[in-house]
Amino acid sequence: MMAGEVVMKTHILSLIVVTTFLHYLAFANHYHFIVKEASFERLCKSKEILTVNGKFPGPTLYAHKGSTLIVDVYNKGKYNLTIHWHGVKQPRNPWSDGPEYITQCPIQPGSKFRQTIVLSDEEGTIWWHAHSAWARATVHGAIVVYPKPGTSYPFPKPQAEIPIILAEWWKDSVVEVLKEFTASGGQPRNSDAFMINGQPGDFYPCSKHGTFKLEVKSGKTYLLRILNAAMNEILLFAIAKHKLTVVGTDGSYTKPLTRDYIAISPGQTLDCLLKANQEPNFYYMAARAYTNGNNVQFDNTTTTAIVKYEGNYLISSPLSLPYLPSYANTPAAVNFSGSLRSLASKHHPISVPLKVKTRLVSTVSINLLPCPINGTNVTTCQGPNGTRLSASMNNISFVTPTYNILEAYYYHIKGVFWTKFPSFPPYVFNYTSDVLPLELELPEFGTQVKVLEYNTTVELVLQGTNLVTGLDHPMHLHGYNFYVVGWGFGNFDEKQDPQNYNLVDPPRRNTVAIPRNGWIAIRFRADNPGVWIMHCHIERHLTWGMQTVFIVKNGHRPKERIFSPPQDMPPC
């Protein structure tokens, strides 16, 4: 093929890609996000927080399965910002995915970026949030994806649908909390409250008047669209004297699972049916932390809201709290998540890769760094024994570049990232032993990515370790949903454990919690070309470097290629 023919073929492919993208835009719903500071009072104290359109939580977006949204994001705040559409696979459109310096440079104060949210097979509840620094503490909201017109839910239509957004609140500026945390080298300051729909609830000072109330009618069923926007804590959630029936997770339907309580990790969503089948009264809904690490600080408070039945009746006093497992009850949290199954029905089929071409194993660890030397004196650090805390995947603590990886990849710019993220742990040891050599606690640093061939089938085993301390790690993969085919405690056994995989109806997630000193096995088909980050959704772990990036190469056909970048990409 002559050089001119190559140029002409490339030009034709680009025109096809652009034309396809313009087709999406022609049928898009349009939203405007004005990101700005606004004053809110919680816990007897007012402070300025970053908001979208002056709301906290931010506005809920509504769409139908397979539709496209256009969101104009105007940054009228004081700091750089990006917005991520969590759970949206964005087929061929990584340009609008949102993680700072991964798929875009930040939207600078006074600037605007038009983001295109391309929905495909998501159906149920997903969400959006800031993906820069710790801005997502207050910049977040739900996305409700309804079935396509002419189709229906795989369960009876509920009386009403209510987003239930769980979050954390600090009395002081989150910017200052982050600065203090990163300077100290230790753990971040605990939040001062958890919240349900922006309100702490009855058990916090100056809060009872604002407690969120959900009014229900006896005999009716309600769909609670629950999402965990908390920064650092897995949460347990329940409603007094009522059961919850899970019917969806992370934008996919599940077989109905009825429980007295749910466990939900940061980044996850759960669609739950609530039947108003109790005596008319007021009933607490409540959430509190689940955590089980050694010497790990956490917010041990409880947030509440109220389910309020319609009608005239005497209200019981005091209201009773629902049963919630203890803070460190690992079996309770893990067994709930491990009981979820995909619906896998005729109208909502799944496609689990049965043959795997690409096998990957990655450790996820908390690490330690020596405290930096300042002249002749050692700076005091607040990690264990005067060290600095860090985190890693396969012993690499990710270094965020100052130019975004997607553009560097697309335009062949060298020196931004390297493609040497290991397919297997560089050190093989008893990952979950109670006693481990101290030299294993020191990670390497780098902007290392893993390149995947288009359409390859991937199995990724995420192995927790007991370095420094074992913890649960909710890992989120951008650009994909994946199937959780297996999980367990201890070290993954590559011969025995796959024999127990669920390849029939495994849950389909975008965020999954690796149990403390355990492992998770996930599978997906790499059919979405682009640059996609995978990271722990506990914000302190992300800040410490628990992340990596997958680059999925283009396929050979026009519809297997990344769309061309929009003209208004924020500059670095």
Side-chain angles (χ1 to χ4, degrees), residues 90-205:
Q90 293 280 24
R92 303 165 57 204
N93 184 37
W95 305 104
S96 286
D97 189 46
E100 186 177 42
Y101 294 115
I102 305 299
T103 61
Q104 69 171 85
C105 294
I107 308 167
Q108 298 172 16
S111 299
K112 168 195 165 187
F113 180 36
R114 171 167 288 187
Q115 293 186 254
T116 304
I117 297 90
V118 181
L119 297 168
S120 52
D121 59 1
E122 303 89 353
E123 189 172 335
T125 307
I126 47 182
W127 63 303
W128 59 266
H129 61 81
H131 212 299
S132 46
W134 277 28
R136 80 170 177 88
T138 56
V139 179
H140 58 249
I143 304 175
V144 173
V145 184
Y146 295 117
K148 286 184 176 180
T151 64
S152 61
Y153 299 130
F155 47 83
K157 186 176 180 181
Q159 174 75 11
E161 305 177 17
I162 305 95
I164 301 292
I165 300 176
L166 310 176
E168 288 181 271
W169 183 269
W170 282 263
K171 290 181 180 179
D172 293 331
S173 162
V174 174
V175 174
E176 294 306 315
V177 171
L178 175 59
K179 286 180 180 178
E180 173 189 275
F181 156 56
T182 53
S184 74
Q187 300 179 58
R189 195 191 319 175
N190 291 338
S191 57
D192 296 295
F194 293 117
M195 293 183 294
I196 298 175
N197 286 355
Q199 294 292 341
D202 287 2
F203 300 144
Y204 296 94

Side-chain angles (χ1 to χ4, degrees), residues 207-270:
S207 299
K208 194 167 185 177
H209 66 283
T211 298
F212 173 73
K213 293 180 176 65
L214 168 61
E215 189 168 70
V216 299
K217 294 181 179 180
S218 290
K220 300 297 183 179
T221 298
Y222 297 81
L223 177 59
L224 306 186
R225 298 181 175 274
I226 306 170
L227 70 88
N228 186 353
M231 299 290 280
N232 289 311
E233 305 297 351
I234 298 172
L235 294 172
L236 301 165
F237 174 91
I239 299 175
K241 298 185 179 181
H242 291 74
K243 293 182 181 295
L244 293 168
T245 299
V246 182
V247 292
T249 61
D250 293 358
S252 296
Y253 292 121
T254 65
K255 290 180 171 65
L257 177 69
T258 301
R259 288 291 187 267
D260 293 325
Y261 63 87
I262 62 170
I264 184 167
S265 298
Q268 291 182 334
T269 64
L270 290 171

Side-chain angles (χ1 to χ4, degrees), residues 371-444:
C371 203
I373 297 176
N374 182 11
T376 57
N377 298 316
V378 176
T379 305
T380 301
C381 293
Q382 295 180 11
N385 301 315
T387 59
R388 292 185 66 85
L389 286 160
S390 182
S392 66
M393 295 182 66
N394 267 351
N395 204 49
I396 296 174
S397 188
F398 190 84
V399 177
T400 302
T402 55
Y403 189 86
N404 82 80
I405 292 174
L406 175 57
E407 289 190 68
Y409 168 66
Y410 190 84
Y411 293 114
H412 307 288
I413 299 170
K414 295 182 179 180
V416 177
F417 65 90
W418 289 262
T419 58
K420 294 182 178 180
F421 184 82
S423 297
F424 300 96
Y427 304 113
V428 178
F429 56 96
N430 183 357
Y431 304 112
T432 58
S433 172
D434 289 336
V435 180
L436 292 169
L438 294 178
E439 56 264 27
L440 292 173
E441 296 179 346
L442 184 67
E444 296 182 6

